[in-house]
Amino acid sequence: MKMFRPAAMATALLMWLGAAAQAQTTLRVGLAEDPDVLDPTMARTYVGRIVFASFCDKLFDIDEKLNIVPQLALSYETSADGKEVTIKLRPGVKFHDGEALDAEAAKFSLERHLTFPGSFRKPELASLDHVDVVDPLTIKLVLKAPFSPLIPQLSDRAGMMVSPKAAKAAGDKFGLHPVCAGPYKFVERVQQDRMVFEKFADYWNKDNVFIDRIVFQPIVDATVRLANLKSGALDLIERVLATDIKDVRSDSRLKLATAIELGYQGITLNIGKDKAKGPLSQSAKVRQALDLSIDREAINQVAFNGEFKPGNQWVNPDHPYYQQNFPVRARDIAKAKALLKEAGVTPPISVDYMVPRGTEFEAVAQVVQSMAAEAGFDMKIRVTELATSLKQAEAGEYQAFHLQWSGRIDPDGNSFIFLHTDAPQNYSFWTNAEADKALDDARLATELAQRKAIYEKLTKLVMEDEPIIYVYHRRILIAHTSKLEGYKQVPDGLVRVVGLKLK
């Protein structure tokens, strides 16, 4: 038997410890903002969705081609009348607290999304009447009426499952220590600094999880995010500036993943809760004038080097539901001034313009400010931290709000919650009975042609009254170190961590 002397044993121990330390891998992700609450029922930010993707699996997911694919559910079947959807759950799934994800747990999560006070998932599941437990791994969703966006909704936060035991114990504090059924489990969060997750040993797909820890760090300044990626302090960053694309592509240590987003970037206008009763909230002609003052292609060229896609609807111009009969209008200052005159408004028109903090948001706001000034608008930019801006939007404490929406695969997910009367993210507080009917009818229809005809009516109403001025659609730009292998970009802009490896 070979014997080690104490010095040799100490050296061997140090070498073993060093190897063990090296074996521990950490993926460090730079985010453009700090997310809001980490509770899938209550959350509403894009960066929050990126974080959720690492620890809170859904019933279904989507792939790069926007196909619905199984995640916590294996399959679904819809009844002939469209009012019942039976979902088979994946066996052997556990929550991070060790509790089993069975039919009762799935029923609890869906009902929590539907009934929890202030839930942002409620309108996404509006047609759900109740959930029946068929057997330990089967649930039946009984609907009030057919609901064509249901499965797409269950491929996002409405389909995220939370531990009933943890959720009941935590109540409205669940977001402080969320317990889901994803590849990583929550460790800690320090506001404006970091969110830490570690690999969950009992994850149902653990054989495809190769990184031990994930640390998300909010870094608002895009230049600083990129500098941290280049220095090795970060492994992946989201929302690379379009003006930095050339720089990233020329660096052999980095890779760039891209896709045109499903959502939109626009200016939401406060119609129903403007305490100042300014001209913008009181007249559709004034809102149309502001729209006509904006040159969307110029914004794309100036702020984004032509990499983004100008748009004027809640889906991008390449989307099957885009309304070709309503193309992007050219900028027309003369017509904008004429509309202001018709509305009986004398410039300059002062507008409280709330803009989330961020390089690109602020750059676009400055271009809009300059363009709108030529028509007679005084856009007073008020830069606000993202979570704060959402709270102020909800309270109606603004007149114009530069809002980003990361988007959903079904057009309902880009329209209903912002345009339907009393929907929780109807920040314009717009009320239009015809629009409500169109939004409701589109949920009942199942054929693309039929739904598109309904959405055409809605598009006309929105363009006439202008509760939202849709401006452009981002190109998702995610850069990562070449040491990260297996990364694939899906058009929803999320960072999927299963399958990723760090060399």
Side-chain angles (χ1 to χ4, degrees), residues 220-223 225 241 243 356-366:
V220 175
D221 191 311
T223 302
R225 281 200 307 280
L241 295 180
T243 49
R357 190 177 305 281
T359 306
E360 287 185 340
F361 293 149
E362 294 173 50
V364 171
Q366 289 164 8

Side-chain angles (χ1 to χ4, degrees), residues 264 267-275 280-282 287 354 390 392-401 403 415-432 435-436 462 465-470:
Y264 68 83
I267 303 171
T268 299
L269 304 178
N270 184 351
I271 295 176
K273 278 194 178 180
D274 177 20
K275 295 172 185 174
L280 202 61
S281 65
Q282 302 303 299
R287 296 191 289 275
M354 182 168 66
L390 291 173
Q392 292 189 5
E394 190 177 328
E397 297 172 356
Y398 78 98
Q399 291 179 314
F401 175 29
L403 178 68
S415 55
F416 191 99
I417 58 173
F418 298 107
L419 298 171
H420 199 283
T421 300
D422 295 330
Q425 285 168 267
N426 182 349
Y427 299 135
S428 60
F429 307 99
W430 185 52
T431 298
N432 185 300
D436 288 349
V462 172
D465 216 22
E466 299 258 36
I468 300 172
I469 298 175
Y470 303 94

Side-chain angles (χ1 to χ4, degrees), residues 56-196:
C56 213
D57 277 4
K58 305 157 292 190
L59 290 173
F60 302 95
D61 199 7
I62 60 174
D63 63 16
E64 300 101 297
K65 296 182 180 179
L66 302 183
N67 297 309
I68 299 287
V69 294
Q71 196 167 66
L72 295 177
L74 292 176
S75 64
Y76 71 94
E77 184 177 341
T78 305
S79 63
D81 64 2
K83 291 185 178 181
E84 293 182 350
V85 179
T86 302
I87 296 175
K88 294 284 186 181
L89 300 174
R90 185 180 297 278
V93 176
K94 289 184 179 180
F95 290 107
H96 299 146
D97 58 1
E99 296 290 305
L101 171 55
D102 56 14
E104 289 288 353
K107 173 182 167 73
F108 171 86
S109 287
L110 291 168
E111 290 179 344
R112 182 177 189 267
H113 290 326
L114 198 60
T115 63
F116 199 77
S119 168
F120 285 99
R121 308 287 79 81
K122 185 175 180 178
E124 299 170 6
L125 298 172
S127 287
L128 179 59
D129 184 75
H130 64 276
V131 181
D132 289 337
V133 172
V134 178
D135 62 44
L137 287 174
T138 307
I139 54 173
K140 181 186 290 183
L141 279 56
V142 181
L143 310 180
K144 301 170 188 172
F147 185 52
S148 54
L150 179 63
I151 299 303
Q153 293 288 22
L154 296 179
S155 70
D156 206 270
R157 286 173 295 204
M160 290 181 185
M161 301 286 101
V162 302
S163 164
K165 180 180 177 181
K168 289 174 184 175
D172 61 1
K173 301 294 190 295
F174 179 77
L176 298 177
H177 196 106
V179 180
C180 293
Y184 293 83
K185 62 181 181 181
F186 179 82
V187 175
E188 67 168 345
R189 178 179 188 179
V190 179
Q191 294 283 155
Q192 304 295 333
D193 183 68
R194 66 185 181 275
M195 285 152 286
V196 181

Side-chain angles (χ1 to χ4, degrees), residues 26-76:
T26 299
L27 178 67
R28 298 155 299 176
V29 178
L31 303 175
E33 299 112 9
D34 198 31
D36 58 350
V37 62
L38 295 181
D39 180 341
T41 300
M42 304 301 294
R44 50 185 166 171
T45 61
Y46 166 54
V47 279
R49 292 174 67 221
I50 292 176
V51 177
F52 280 124
S54 69
F55 80 95
C56 213
D57 277 4
K58 305 157 292 190
L59 290 173
F60 302 95
D61 199 7
I62 60 174
D63 63 16
E64 300 101 297
K65 296 182 180 179
L66 302 183
N67 297 309
I68 299 287
V69 294
Q71 196 167 66
L72 295 177
L74 292 176
S75 64
Y76 71 94

